[in-house]
Amino acid sequence: MFLQLRAEVEDALESALTRLDLPTDDLGIEEPPADVDAVLASSVAFRLAGEVGAPPPEVAAQVADEIDAAAFPYVSTVATQGPYVNFLPSDAYFADTLDAATDGDYGRLPARHERVVVEHTSANPTGPVHVGRARNPIIGDAVARVLDYAGYDVDRHYYVNDAGRQIAVFTWAYEAFDESDLPEPERDAPEYEMVRYYRKGNQFLEEADPERVESAESEIQAILQGLEDGDEETYERVAEVVDTVLDGMCDTLERLPAEFDEFVKETRFMRDGSTDDLVGRLKELDCAVYEDDAWQLDLPDFEKHLVFLRSDGTSLYTTRDLAHHEWKFENYDRAVTVLGEDHKLQADQLSAALDLLGNDTDQLSQVFYSWVNLPEGGMSTREGTGIDLDDLLDEAIDRAREEVESRLDDRTRNDLDEDDVERIAHQVGIGAVRYDIVSKQPTKGITFEWDRALDFEAQSAPYVQYVHARCCGILSEARNRASDSRAVEPRDDDVEDGVPTAPDADVLQEPEERDLLRVLARFPAVVETAADDLQPHSVATYTRDLAETFNAFYRECPVLDADPETRAARLALVAGTRHTVANALDVLGVAAPDSM
RNA sequence: GGGCACGUAGCUCAGUCCGGAUAGAGCGUCGGACUUCUAAUCCGACGGUCGUGGGUUCGAAUCCCAUCGUGCCCGCCA
């Protein structure tokens, strides 16, 4: 509704200014502060005061006079407040909001028939997923979800770096060392078992005798060369390591949840010849130079050259990534990549090179986030420093379970069985971890601290999830009472699952009811903006706003014991809130518990 | 040295891209509210030179310049 109202306000202002013979390039539309009744306002009078030769409040009055509110279904009144022109919503605005929100798909925007690929995580398959990396799947998955809600046709890709030196080291180490030389794995999972070879191999290369290191290096080099030459046996050796570790990592990522439609391997673009083809085209570019026996690009606006072919004739990660991106452009209308801030320069160079190759780089958007560090520094798979994501999630679930159980004791509730407790512990524990990360601007630095990451108070997931549980509680109670009364009186045809299908929004006149409807009305616009800006965290901000507004309604407006007409309308409002909270949390990838 | 990000209440953050109505939350502190549709809730109080200094503007947390602090990057690694 908000989107339509905004369109009406634009229309109203534009035509009014045109009739007054004033410029319409900046309508000054904004959302007024909370204590103003209007849903939208315009500050255009400030700008036009000079031109008109009158003080802003007078200009505002002229503009307001020129608008006929009756011509716009969702505008009831156009009023000035000092220099501002305020647009107040009509009854139809509230009625249609109530109606729209009771749809389970509320917040999903019409299909755009545009294919988007969201690439995220893409962590090297070298070991367990640690918390330092966890921001990528959480933000990436939320970006994919918000685009999905906004009507895009979304695919999620994990780009698998299976051709780099680290993977060659890993493959060598896996084949060279015996399990009896390794420490016990930290968990009974493939990536925890495998990472021991990786760490052992790296340690060996740093500490062993020079001759032994040299012989290891030649084996590693042979693996790299085998991949470059398209040797089938080498691919298989590497794939065994990569696939095993990746499977384990994905089990962890699924817990968030973060799932992928496709795992795109880097070697794919070596095997299908597209990297060779790309190298040929790069050499033809005007800025291509051959220096120090290597082919490089002298990119404008970049200080350093970008090497795309080594002196030994092998390709680099960036070269393959160029082929990878051209492949994305062929198959999708848009490509979004979620990357750590340390990849910023590389991403800019990639973009510049793609542009020179004749691609439309407007199709490519990159979302950057800063690393999660420990108070004592960064996390590293190779060195084994860091908090495993599995441990964080387990701890979160344990703490959530304690919370649920202590509440059970306090309230002597008997409506939850063991399965319920376990389900709630998972939803709340994982939701809290995820919400904590997705609700912040990705560019802000985060230092990991257990107590802060697992704080269930504060502005966290449980606060919002609780609103969903409350809504479900009211609705299920309404159903119970409806089924009790059905024995004596016939079921009302206008009632579905205890919720009236055609409620009368006009009876919702309490300020708390109106405020809630206003917030509900904004949800589709929030989704649209979050998708346009690739900023899912703004949806998290919205969920807090919605939860707070619902809690005020909950305090002031009894639902089940109200008179029948009010009860019906309020039930619809609760149902609408439930869908909105559930969908907003779904955009963030956070579960919405039916009870807590 | 160069580039990019970040700096808002004691702490953690919205708001900044696209300038507008007394800068909003939560935590913590202090004080209140459960015979009521779930108190993981709500209400109140205290708390801010929006890093600093200039500039643009009728108007700046928001735009520009400078400066300080922190992080990241500047490899024939990925």
Side-chain angles (χ1 to χ4, degrees):
Chain A
M1 294 320 110
F2 183 86
L3 290 168
Q4 285 93 319
L5 177 63
R6 193 169 63 195
E8 288 183 10
V9 168
E10 279 170 22
D11 187 13
L13 280 168
E14 196 161 338
S15 52
L17 292 177
T18 306
R19 283 195 295 279
L20 290 168
D21 210 20
L22 291 168
T24 57
D25 51 309
D26 185 352
L27 301 173
I29 295 174
E30 60 192 66
E31 292 186 49
D35 57 344
V36 175
D37 266 346
V39 169
L40 285 169
S42 169
S43 59
V44 74
F46 282 114
R47 231 157 290 118
L48 300 175
E51 184 147 348
V52 176
E58 217 167 284
V59 179
Q62 283 181 35
V63 173
D65 275 351
E66 197 58 45
I67 298 171
D68 176 19
F72 301 97
Y74 288 156
V75 179
S76 70
T77 313
V78 181
T80 62
Q81 191 168 338
Y84 295 95
V85 181
N86 287 339
F87 294 82
L88 283 83
S90 66
D91 288 341
Y93 181 73
F94 292 109
D96 287 358
T97 296
L98 186 61
D99 186 51
T102 39
D103 186 317
D105 273 343
Y106 184 56
R108 281 199 180 272
L109 306 182
R112 303 191 190 217
H113 307 292
E114 215 175 309
R115 282 170 61 72
V116 184
V117 54
V118 176
E119 181 201 327
H120 68 83
T121 308
S122 301
N124 288 354
T126 50
V129 181
H130 60 62
V131 172
R133 284 172 177 166
R135 224 175 171 176
N136 200 319
I138 290 172
I139 293 168
D141 191 62
V143 165
R145 284 164 178 270
V146 76
L147 288 170
D148 180 44
Y149 265 82
Y152 291 94
D153 195 357
V154 180
D155 271 2
R156 300 134 203 251
H157 285 191
Y158 187 122
Y159 186 52
V160 185
N161 304 166
D162 63 340
R165 177 180 155 81
Q166 290 308 323
I167 295 304
V169 169
F170 202 161
T171 304
W172 157 76
Y174 177 62
E175 292 168 356
F177 294 101
D178 191 87
E179 183 161 15
S180 59
D181 293 336
L182 303 172
E184 284 296 306
E186 288 163 32
R187 270 178 191 251
D188 182 19
E191 77 277 32
Y192 289 85
E193 287 165 18
M194 293 293 286
V195 74
R196 297 175 299 159
Y197 294 96
Y198 182 61
R199 287 179 184 150
K200 179 88 178 172
N202 277 290
Q203 191 190 359
F204 180 93
L205 293 176
E206 276 173 29
E207 296 171 4
D209 299 336
E211 312 92 74
R212 297 181 66 196
V213 169
E214 198 179 321
S215 115
E217 284 292 353
S218 70
E219 286 184 51
I220 291 163
Q221 198 53 42
I223 293 170
L224 284 172
Q225 197 62 48
L227 291 176
E228 194 72 27
D229 296 343
D231 177 58
E232 233 14 84
E233 195 207 322
T234 309
Y235 280 126
E236 279 167 29
R237 287 164 64 201
V238 170
E240 186 185 345
V241 171
V242 167
D243 293 346
T244 306
V245 175
L246 194 58
D247 278 354
M249 291 169 77
C250 285
D251 288 342
T252 303
L253 293 171
E254 276 173 27
R255 300 178 67 188
L256 287 172
E259 295 184 35
F260 298 89
D261 298 295
E262 198 170 340
F263 292 85
V264 180
K265 286 186 174 177
E266 202 179 336
T267 46
R268 166 184 184 149
F269 303 100
M270 302 167 82
R271 301 173 84 168
D272 70 3
S274 59
T275 301
D276 289 342
D277 171 70
L278 188 106
V279 165
R281 285 163 54 220
L282 285 170
K283 287 179 181 171
E284 298 298 316
L285 293 177
D286 289 340
C287 65
V289 294
Y290 186 74
E291 273 177 26
D292 303 325
D293 300 329
W295 278 95
Q296 329 190 357
L297 292 183
D298 182 10
L299 293 168
D301 306 325
F302 289 93
E303 215 177 298
K304 300 260 173 149
H305 289 185
L306 178 67
V307 176
F308 64 88
L309 199 63
R310 291 191 185 98
S311 48
D312 64 5
T314 60
S315 62
L316 291 88
Y317 173 85
T318 316
T319 324
R320 290 165 233 137
D321 205 23
L322 283 168
H324 171 216
H325 276 82
E326 289 204 324
W327 172 79
K328 286 189 192 176
F329 289 163
E330 278 168 32
N331 291 284
Y332 296 91
D333 301 306
R334 276 183 71 188
V336 177
T337 320
V338 180
L339 295 164
E341 61 177 352
D342 52 335
H343 285 66
K344 188 97 208 284
L345 176 65
Q346 188 215 333
D348 287 343
Q349 287 179 324
L350 178 84
S351 205
L354 284 168
D355 186 50
L356 289 169
L357 286 165
N359 298 282
D360 175 12
T361 46
D362 288 345
Q363 293 178 83
L364 178 63
S365 317
Q366 286 142 336
V367 176
F368 294 96
Y369 65 93
S370 72
W371 291 100
V372 177
N373 287 322
L374 294 168
E376 58 269 27
M379 305 190 196
S380 157
T381 300
R382 184 168 44 204
E383 290 161 24
T385 56
I387 309 290
D388 292 324
L389 182 56
D390 282 316
D391 290 343
L392 173 61
L393 296 179
D394 285 351
E395 180 70 23
I397 293 165
D398 287 345
R399 292 200 195 187
R401 190 185 297 112
E402 281 172 31
E403 291 283 331
V404 182
E405 282 167 353
S406 78
R407 276 165 231 281
L408 277 180
D409 296 343
D410 289 351
R411 283 195 257 136
T412 59
R413 284 175 57 173
N414 51 10
D415 58 325
L416 298 178
D417 61 26
E418 257 180 56
D419 287 347
D420 288 330
V421 171
E422 204 51 35
R423 174 181 52 79
I424 296 167
H426 274 77
Q427 290 176 318
V428 169
I430 291 181
V433 168
R434 187 161 170 138
Y435 191 92
D436 181 56
I437 288 177
V438 82
S439 61
K440 289 171 183 153
Q441 280 183 45
T443 45
K444 301 246 184 187
I446 295 183
T447 301
F448 180 83
E449 287 162 49
W450 279 104
D451 286 339
R452 193 178 295 155
L454 297 177
D455 187 1
F456 296 154
E457 304 288 324
Q459 300 169 317
S460 65
Y463 176 74
V464 180
Q465 290 173 317
Y466 188 58
V467 165
H468 186 263
R470 271 184 160 172
C471 289
C472 289
I474 294 172
L475 293 168
S476 94
E477 183 62 21
R479 271 195 298 278
N480 289 341
R481 295 191 191 179
S483 62
D484 288 348
S485 63
R486 216 183 310 169
V488 283
E489 54 190 271
R491 186 188 166 113
D492 190 335
D493 283 343
D494 293 339
V495 172
E496 190 180 309
D497 283 343
V499 178
T501 50
D504 183 4
D506 290 347
V507 305
L508 301 174
Q509 293 296 338
E510 296 297 324
E512 290 79 12
E513 297 168 327
R514 294 263 141 169
D515 286 347
L516 185 50
L517 282 168
R518 282 166 196 247
V519 176
L520 292 177
R522 277 174 42 221
F523 182 49
V526 168
V527 169
E528 185 182 74
T529 307
D532 285 350
D533 299 345
L534 301 174
Q535 292 189 336
H537 82 272
S538 60
V539 178
T541 305
Y542 172 77
T543 60
R544 278 202 288 270
D545 197 12
L546 175 57
E548 209 174 291
T549 312
F550 176 80
N551 282 327
F553 162 80
Y554 182 85
R555 183 182 72 243
E556 296 297 332
C557 304
V559 177
L560 297 176
D561 296 328
D563 65 81
E565 206 181 10
T566 308
R567 181 176 184 274
R570 285 181 180 170
L571 269 177
L573 192 50
V574 171
T577 304
R578 182 174 95 90
H579 289 137
T580 309
V581 171
N583 291 349
L585 286 175
D586 190 42
V587 168
L588 301 172
V590 174
D594 290 347
S595 59
M596 280 173 72

